[in-house]
Each structure stands twice: as structure tokens, then as C-alpha cells.
Amino acid sequence: RRGAWEVLGHGMDDVAEDRREQWYGKRGVMWARFRHKETGKTVLFLNHHGPLPVGTGGTCGRHATAWNILRTIAAHADESDGLVLVGDFNADGRCQTIREIERRMHRVYTGRVFGGVDHVFSSCGGSRVVSRRNLGGGGSDHD
């Protein structure tokens, strides 16, 4: 519920750029930190829309895109924050961008559409993940 959370900060950091053959511009990570008013626990929530063409990492490349995302997390997270990173990464689970992030965060869900380019990562994994299910497109061409 919206009233249960206090916004501690928010912003967007550029982390990649599309390559010339499918250029739409720079790609960022939007982030916001929240504090739960009742428990005092904090979370950093991030959303990323990855560079094109799919699977390339854009002009920066796969590895640099992953490191730029991780650098954004490091710049805005507190060590006590729960972390949630979601988005259309324009990279499937075999791509180096995803594998690099997965070395540092738990990949808790991958969508099916477009070969699985939508991912959810968390600082918590295993039995701490209560549910993993596809909620459908909700009006989008993604899941």
C-alpha cells in the first residue's frame, strides 16, 4: 500500500546506449529508495530498459552495461536495503549482461516473451522468495 511507504530518494542514471542500427537513445536505470513506515525496513527498487539491438549491450557492450547497472545500485543503496531490480533488459538469460548481474544478485524470475528478455533480480533468494509467477502482459507485449 502506498501509504505504508515513505520515499527516501529517487532518480535515473544512464547506463547504456543503443547501437547505431537501432538507435533510440540512451538507456537508464530508474531507482527509488523507500522506507516502510511501520517496520523501518528500507528497499531500493530499480527498473531498467536495456539497450538495442537485443543481446548486444548496445554501444557499451554487455559487460559494461551490467557493471553500470551494478554501479548505480552501489551508488544509491544502503547496506541494509533490500534490493529489487526489474525490467526489459533486451537480453536473454544466456547473455553476459544477465549472467554478470546474476553473479551478484538472485535472478528470481525470467519472462517467456521475446526469448525471455524480462527479468526480476533480488538481494534475497531461495526460500525467501514467496512466489514466482507470470502475471501476464497487463496491456504490454511483454510478460
Side-chain angles (χ1 to χ4, degrees):
R1 295 184 15 201
R2 184 178 179 154
W5 297 90
E6 173 188 3
V7 177
L8 300 175
H10 61 88
M12 187 182 97
D13 295 355
D14 289 331
V15 296
E17 186 171 357
D18 294 333
R19 288 195 337 200
R20 181 174 297 194
E21 63 266 31
Q22 276 189 291
W23 193 85
Y24 289 92
K26 293 183 179 181
R27 301 298 178 127
V29 173
M30 293 183 290
W31 60 270
R33 280 191 76 230
F34 301 94
R35 184 178 60 78
H36 191 262
K37 292 178 181 177
E38 188 175 309
T39 66
K41 292 183 178 182
T42 55
V43 64
L44 177 65
F45 187 89
L46 306 102
N47 181 38
H48 172 61
H49 190 183
L52 294 170
V54 170
T56 66
T59 59
C60 298
R62 298 171 192 97
H63 188 78
T65 296
W67 276 100
N68 288 339
I69 292 168
L70 294 168
R71 185 179 302 127
T72 295
I73 294 170
H76 301 292
D78 184 79
E79 65 183 39
S80 64
D81 287 352
L83 304 173
V84 179
L85 169 63
V86 304
D88 166 7
F89 286 75
N90 279 322
D92 67 29
R94 299 169 306 211
C95 183
Q96 184 180 6
T97 302
I98 302 306
R99 290 194 325 254
E100 193 64 43
I101 294 169
E102 195 171 29
R103 289 179 58 196
R104 288 153 182 85
M105 297 181 77
H106 301 275
R107 183 165 32 133
V108 297
Y109 191 79
T110 294
R112 294 183 302 248
V113 174
F114 301 118
V117 296
D118 302 315
H119 305 281
V120 177
F121 293 91
S122 175
S123 55
C124 300
S127 64
R128 291 181 163 181
V129 178
V130 177
S131 175
R132 296 175 184 173
R133 61 189 169 124
N134 189 320
L135 299 176
S140 171
D141 59 347
H142 289 261
D143 62 345

